[in-house]
Amino acid sequence: MTNRIHWTLLLNATFEPLMVISWKKAVVMVILDKVEVVEEYERILRGVSFALRLPAVIRLTRYVRRKTLLVKFSRQNLYVRDRDRCQYCGISFEQKELTYDHVIPRSKGGQTEWTNVVTCCTSCNLKKGGRTPEEAGMPLMRKPRVPIWIPLLIRSLGLNETPDPWKDYL
C-alpha cells in the first residue's frame, strides 16, 4: 500500500474539511455508521465476512461545531508554507540551508508573524539586511499570508501532493 492511501479526509456534514484521519479509524467510523463514504481508493479491504473499498473521503452524518483552526507560527510551519524556497531569489533549498527574514525589519517596527516573515537563503538575507524589500530592490516571490491548515497538514504527513480523491473537497 503506498503512502498516499494511509489517510482519509474527514468532512463535516456540511462538506467542510475537518481533519485527516488514519484509514483504520475511517473504516471503524464507516462500520459504526457515523459517516458516509464520499470517495474511495481502488484498494479493497477484505475480511472473513465482508469486502470494503478503502475510504478516501468520508462525511459525518451529524454536524459538529468546528474550532477555529489557526496554524501556529513556527519555523517548521513557515518552511512548509513557503515550500522550502527563498522568497527573494526563488531557489529551493534544504531546510537546514534556509533562514527567515522579517519583510518589514524589526528595527522598523516589523512583527514576527505570518504576514511579515518569509523564508530566505543566507545570501539574500545578508543582501537585504535591515531594509524593506523595496529599499533593497528585492521583490518578494509572493506576499506572506497566514497559511491554510490543510496544505500544511498534507505536507507534514509526508505526502508530496494532495491525493486525487481529496481535491474536490479542499
Side-chain angles (χ1 to χ4, degrees):
M1 184 156 70
T2 63
N3 195 24
R4 69 171 14 146
I5 57 175
H6 280 88
W7 305 104
T8 300
L9 179 64
L10 175 64
L11 305 175
N12 209 339
T14 57
F15 285 90
E16 296 171 275
L18 285 177
M19 67 178 68
V20 176
I21 61 175
S22 73
W23 64 268
K24 292 176 183 179
K25 184 171 183 175
V27 168
V28 169
M29 292 176 80
V30 169
I31 292 169
L32 294 175
D33 231 9
K34 293 185 179 276
V35 296
E36 70 173 340
V37 177
V38 179
E39 299 281 342
E40 299 171 324
Y41 292 116
E42 293 295 317
R43 183 175 172 123
I44 298 175
L45 299 172
R46 299 184 194 282
V48 176
S49 60
F50 74 95
L52 174 73
R53 281 199 125 133
L54 193 63
V57 179
I58 56 176
R59 182 176 78 99
L60 290 170
T61 53
R62 291 185 177 173
Y63 178 78
V64 294
R65 228 195 250 282
R66 182 178 170 176
K67 297 177 187 169
T68 305
L69 295 170
L70 295 176
V71 178
K72 179 183 174 191
F73 182 85
S74 70
R75 185 181 293 259
Q76 183 65 34
N77 285 342
L78 182 66
Y79 292 156
V80 171
R81 181 199 69 183
D82 291 349
R83 298 185 181 100
D84 300 330
R85 186 176 299 270
C86 174
Q87 295 303 298
Y88 295 109
C89 67
I91 298 172
S92 290
F93 291 90
E94 289 187 37
Q95 287 184 0
K96 65 184 178 185
E97 300 174 292
L98 285 170
T99 184
Y100 64 87
D101 179 63
H102 290 81
V103 178
I104 298 171
R106 292 177 67 194
S107 62
K108 295 184 180 184
Q111 301 293 310
T112 303
E113 59 188 14
W114 284 116
T115 58
N116 191 49
V117 178
V118 295
T119 57
C120 65
C121 63
T122 307
S123 63
C124 284
N125 199 350
L126 290 171
K127 182 179 172 185
K128 180 179 168 281
R131 300 175 290 174
T132 66
E134 294 78 24
E135 292 169 344
M138 299 173 66
L140 287 164
M141 303 298 290
R142 12 180 239 159
K143 184 178 176 179
R145 294 191 167 96
V146 177
I148 304 168
W149 67 274
I150 287 280
L152 278 177
L153 177 64
I154 289 167
R155 181 103 182 265
S156 69
L157 291 173
L159 304 174
N160 293 328
E161 59 186 51
T162 305
D164 287 337
W166 297 9
K167 289 182 179 174
D168 291 338
Y169 306 96
L170 298 177

